[in-house]
Amino acid sequence: MSENINTSSVPSAGMAQKIEELRDYFTNQRKGFERRWYDNNFFDDGFHFRYLSRTTGKIVDPQSKDVMPSRAIPKASRQIRGVANLLLLPNYHPVVYPEKVSKSSFPPIVQRPQMVDPAMGQMGQDPMQQPQQPQQQENPAYKAAVDKARDTAKKTGQWLEKQWDEQELEDKLTLMVILAAKHGVSFLQCWPDAIEEKIKSQVYDAFDIYLKGNLTSIYDSPAIIKSVPMLIAEIKANEMFSEDAKARLNPDNKYASSMVKEAYLRSRFGSATESDYASTLILNEAFIKEYVNDMNRVQIQESLKERADELKDGDMVIRQTFTAGGVTLRDEYLDLPEYPFIDFRFEPGPIYGVPLIERFIPANKSLDIVMSRLERYFNTMVSGTWLVRKGENMQITNIPGGQQVEYTQTPPQQANMSNPQSAVFPYINMVNQIIEEQGASTSALNQIPSGVKSGVAIESIKQSEYSNLRIPSQQLKRTVKVISERLLDYGSKFIEPKSVYMNEDKDPSYFDVIGENGAKTYDRLGIDLPEDTVVIKKDYHVTIEVEQGTGFTEEGKKATLEKIIQFFVPLAQQGLIPPDVTKQITMKLLDMYGYGATQDLVEGMENDAPQMKEEQIMQMKIAVAEVLKEAQLGGKPAEERAVMTAKVGTLEALKESGMAKKIMGEVPDNPETDAIPYKDAPPSIKRQMEAQAGFEPASEQEHAVEQAKNVTSLIPKNGTNKNTK
């Protein structure tokens, strides 16, 4: 079959046959991989020597015939799960970036200078000075728009986290990692339910999904087909399927569409039941990429009524077709940007690659052979080997005194057993090292050296092993990002608003969300949404932050938090950081130690904070007074300094107002003061000069009293001062 798949000219009635051809084409391409996936499944189950015969197509298990060693050491199964544990240990936290707020939409505010009369001038300003240029200030509406965009992005991220919790996506991600370790790739289908307005998801293995496996991205495949068994009663109850097509369906009671997976499941679960209540049928759900042209334009317009006018020739659309038993059940076009599947692989490259568990199989089989034969040797040594003449009727009876051997003519002899060769045990150690090199084994298999007791050393071991998993951790990060982007895309299609509950810092809060399509519908109908409703948009930029936390072990996390508290306490005492930072870290440490309601404990510490006694307050006042005295901020020196400050201020004011020349005798007005300088005039003449200048004089005693009041006000009436001893 040609790789250039074109179904735009195929009518709905002929899609069932077309999908069968596509599935056969993909099956032939992955036939060699299916047998390896089958062997990997049995190897993970503990049947290390079971395989599917290429000639007979039957399952061959040498262990059952006792021709091969039967001891199977499940190190490989533990290895892939140890790798999965390390990969999933950090928190992969989706972060939604706020929308871009264009600053050009909020022009700055121009603040014009105050107009000045050139003739009169202004105090402290030269009348001949050039007029000031208009000053620009940032528009307050711009900051408000930025804050709103940040709040919307934060709440959208909280809605994403809620979706992860509701759909148990962390558990599904764990299953994806384990399936990818056995088959090389695993899939998560995520789709919107338009009737219930919910997002649903399901994990599938490599057997259930058909596509071109030689590509590096599943989205480059011309089609993706999901083939899984479904109850025939459920198929017939689906109102979306054609009634005429449902009437022609008959059950096939298969476990899987793949013959190899069918053989594996039958060997594990037996033959499928033919009960009328559990009859199943393989349902094919195909997603095919098509491009708008004259042959499919009419059908596209019927399916995508709202987007029909936006589509032009050459635009990509996805055609979804359900078939079962050679009958087309439903055929339509979807408003989706890509296939509703997300894959996970341990490394980039072709979709069908070498699974992780296959790197352990050869060494594990060698280890099984040696360990099984060594075990048989030890069992033989315990029971012993007897040399008996042919035809001799020998009987061994166990009595309290030992073993009693009866014979007729020739006495039996016990054969001498040689010791196992010294090379056996180094060989076992070498094989174990080969297995451990393929994955994280030191901490995953509890093989930490006996001398390592410190939590810091264990943290270092786990950190080094996690750093060796950088490639799969990057792949997992990409998978989490694509899942989050699909959730946003499907959430933007919701019409009805939904309430979201969040418990942030142990303070429950609620807010409403609605899809972008729903917001447009409400706007078109003239219905106003609540002001705090968050609109989910599909074009939000999402990034994934990997929060490894404070450590890989509980002891490591406690030790790290204690060091953080010791680092932050001096900063809080010096006022470099707010005290709430230390408070939050303390709450996290108490949570880790499991002290229960830490919020109540911290609130009790705040409410029961010790108050200063009256004696302590009096001592504090005396200490403050002593400091003021030593700094000459109180007493007679302070009064004298205040008087001099008042004099200097008065003289500066007289000079700036132009009255100083008149007072100093340059402009004589009063014969009594013409020849007397202000500085040499007696107090009565000075007061007269000040009155002539338009100033209300103040006595030196009044200046001293006012300064004493200011100094006294510096002493706190109640409270504490950390810097005073």
Side-chain angles (χ1 to χ4, degrees), residues 454-464 550-553 556-557:
S454 171
V456 177
I458 297 175
E459 287 291 323
S460 301
I461 292 174
K462 286 186 174 290
Q463 181 63 41
S464 63
T550 54
F552 292 92
T553 62
K557 293 178 182 179

Side-chain angles (χ1 to χ4, degrees), residues 166-187:
E166 290 180 355
Q167 300 185 43
E168 299 179 348
L169 284 174
E170 290 187 359
D171 295 340
K172 295 176 181 178
L173 204 63
T174 303
L175 180 57
M176 290 182 68
V177 173
I178 295 177
L179 289 176
K182 295 192 293 185
H183 305 148
V185 63
S186 58
F187 302 91

Side-chain angles (χ1 to χ4, degrees), residues 21 268 333 403 454 639 693:
E21 295 176 359
R268 290 196 60 186
Y333 290 87
Q403 284 188 343
S454 171
E639 295 176 1

Side-chain angles (χ1 to χ4, degrees), residues 404-474:
Q404 183 177 349
V405 180
E406 296 181 358
Y407 62 94
T408 305
Q409 292 181 358
T410 305
Q413 296 179 3
Q414 191 169 17
N416 295 325
M417 298 291 293
S418 62
N419 294 326
Q421 297 181 3
S422 59
V424 174
F425 299 101
Y427 176 76
I428 294 175
N429 293 332
M430 182 189 67
V431 173
N432 282 324
Q433 285 183 348
I434 294 174
I435 297 174
E436 291 168 6
E437 288 176 357
Q438 300 298 331
S441 60
T442 303
S443 60
L445 297 180
N446 297 323
Q447 294 186 2
I448 298 176
S450 58
V452 177
K453 302 295 183 183
S454 171
V456 177
I458 297 175
E459 287 291 323
S460 301
I461 292 174
K462 286 186 174 290
Q463 181 63 41
S464 63
E465 290 189 349
Y466 182 77
S467 62
N468 291 330
L469 299 176
R470 175 171 175 79
I471 296 176
S473 64
Q474 289 295 109

Side-chain angles (χ1 to χ4, degrees), residues 55 80 83 217 234-235 296 354 479 484 531 542 590 597 644 711:
T55 56
I80 64 174
V83 171
S217 174
E234 185 177 354
I235 297 176
N296 56 11
V354 179
T479 300
S484 301
E531 186 177 355
V542 180
L590 293 175
M644 294 302 297
V711 173

Side-chain angles (χ1 to χ4, degrees), residues 96-102 141-157 534-535 537 540:
V96 179
Y97 279 71
E99 285 186 301
K100 179 182 178 181
V101 179
S102 177
Y142 172 73
K143 186 177 183 304
V146 171
D147 293 340
K148 184 178 180 181
R150 290 176 179 173
D151 183 67
T152 301
K154 178 182 177 182
K155 291 182 177 179
T156 304
V534 177
V535 180
K537 298 182 179 181
Y540 277 124

Side-chain angles (χ1 to χ4, degrees), residues 633-707:
L633 297 177
K636 189 174 181 179
E639 295 176 1
E640 294 177 355
R641 187 164 54 253
V643 171
M644 294 302 297
T645 303
K647 289 181 179 180
V648 173
T650 303
L651 291 175
E652 290 294 333
L654 291 173
K655 182 180 179 181
E656 292 177 359
S657 64
M659 297 299 296
K661 296 180 179 181
K662 182 187 291 186
I663 295 174
M664 298 304 294
E666 296 180 9
V667 185
D669 277 344
N670 194 335
E672 297 181 2
T673 61
D674 281 347
I676 303 175
Y678 177 80
K679 62 181 180 178
D680 298 331
S684 59
I685 301 300
K686 285 184 178 181
R687 286 193 291 271
Q688 184 179 357
M689 291 180 179
E690 291 173 350
Q692 290 177 357
F695 293 96
E696 184 178 352
S699 64
E700 296 180 1
Q701 185 178 3
E702 291 175 349
H703 282 296
V705 172
E706 186 66 22
Q707 185 65 21

